Amino acid sequence: MDELEFRRRIMSDPKQRDSDILDAMRTNENNAKFAEDIADLDSRIAKAMNVEVPDDLADRILFNQSSQHQAKVIRPNFVRRSMAMAASVAFVVGILVGQINWGNIVVAPAQASLADIAMEHVIAEKPFIRDLDEKVSTAQINAKMVPFTHELDKAFPYHVYYLNHCGFGESNALHMVFEGEKGKVTLFMTNIPSTKVEDFYGQGMSGVVEPVGGGASMIIVGDKDENVTSIANSIKQLIQPVAI
């Protein structure tokens, strides 16, 4: 059995240990290490899926975010199914590509970049906020920006559907959703510092990380065809530090 066939069989069934598989593991140290890594990943995914979620979690999130607007309630079992589907997609991609750097599949929150956190946050919260339109004012935006010691010195130029604070990695952020040219755009402002402008792409989205001074960062995420750089530049010109 060649190495490619061995990897495909192990990835399709991490617990498979027939005579051919065992022979390949005994005669090739790399095969044995690969099988151990896949078994460990499979175990971690199984543990991640086995999380008890309160039945009223979705209702409480929606109530906290907006008690004045109706929104479609997504039950927790939908979240579990989505997570399971994401895990399955990861395995399918690995089979097609033939090689995966398994050491980078599971990333601790502290190691995740601002871009990674932002994209994961957009995906996770999209079902809860897609039907909201809070018609947020510039005054409301400035009130939410207080913990980040910045404010807008002019009216925000886009229609804002949603505004709140949220957990962002190991910190907190201002979370705002507004109308872009290609669809809804999400803005995060956090006190996690960034050192340079960083463009990023993935999962049908494009984004940019912008330092805004004072140790704060702004992250813009939109559709893959959205000109997020132009949007970020126009908003950054409106953001000023607040004298303390």
Side-chain angles (χ1 to χ4, degrees):
M1 181 189 306
D2 63 25
E3 186 173 342
L4 179 58
E5 177 63 21
F6 175 84
R7 291 184 174 229
R8 285 176 175 169
R9 290 181 59 180
I10 286 294
M11 290 172 66
S12 64
D13 183 2
K15 295 183 174 62
Q16 182 179 182
R17 292 295 184 273
D18 60 22
S19 59
D20 291 339
I21 292 293
L22 292 174
D23 287 342
M25 291 173 63
R26 279 193 295 266
T27 57
N28 188 315
E29 184 178 341
N30 290 334
N31 283 347
K33 181 64 169 59
F34 184 81
E36 291 175 5
D37 290 343
I38 296 299
D40 180 62
L41 176 62
D42 187 59
S43 176
R44 281 187 281 176
I45 291 175
K47 289 180 181 179
M49 295 301 102
N50 187 25
V51 177
E52 290 297 327
V53 180
D55 290 338
D56 62 344
L57 176 62
D59 297 318
R60 282 187 287 168
I61 291 175
L62 287 170
F63 181 80
N64 290 336
Q65 289 180 339
S66 177
S67 59
Q68 299 179 352
H69 296 272
Q70 294 181 348
K72 183 178 180 181
V73 178
I74 308 300
R75 304 309 302 178
N77 62 353
F78 171 82
V79 177
R80 288 196 290 267
R81 288 198 301 270
S82 298
M83 292 174 66
M85 182 177 295
S88 299
V89 170
F91 277 106
V92 171
V93 171
I95 292 172
L96 293 176
V97 173
Q99 296 184 34
I100 291 181
N101 185 353
W102 295 104
N104 293 330
I105 290 293
V106 179
V107 182
Q111 298 173 318
S113 70
L114 293 175
D116 294 332
I117 298 171
M119 288 193 293
E120 290 171 5
H121 207 106
V122 170
I123 293 171
E125 290 212 350
K126 186 175 181 180
F128 298 105
I129 64 178
R130 62 186 173 191
D131 297 322
L132 297 180
D133 186 358
E134 298 178 335
K135 299 179 175 64
V136 177
S137 68
T138 299
Q140 290 173 305
I141 297 172
N142 279 336
K144 291 290 187 183
M145 291 178 71
V146 169
F148 310 101
T149 63
H150 286 78
E151 65 181 2
L152 301 173
D153 65 354
K154 296 180 182 178
F156 194 75
Y158 305 96
H159 179 84
V160 180
Y161 295 100
Y162 172 80
L163 176 70
N164 211 332
H165 289 148
C166 66
F168 195 81
E170 296 183 349
S171 185
N172 298 299
L174 175 147
H175 181 180
M176 180 163 60
V177 179
F178 58 92
E179 183 64 35
E181 293 183 2
K182 304 295 182 180
K184 292 183 178 179
V185 176
T186 301
L187 178 151
F188 298 101
M189 177 173 285
T190 178
N191 283 329
I192 301 174
S194 55
T195 58
K196 61 181 181 180
V197 176
E198 177 190 354
D199 297 317
F200 58 91
Y201 307 89
Q203 304 187 69
M205 295 177 284
S206 63
V208 60
V209 178
E210 285 265 4
V212 293
S217 300
M218 177 179 67
I219 306 96
I220 303 288
V221 183
D223 182 83
K224 63 181 180 180
D225 297 321
E226 190 76 58
N227 190 342
V228 291
T229 299
S230 175
I231 292 175
N233 289 338
S234 65
I235 295 176
K236 188 174 181 180
Q237 294 177 12
L238 308 179
I239 297 177
Q240 303 293 330
V242 176
I244 300 177

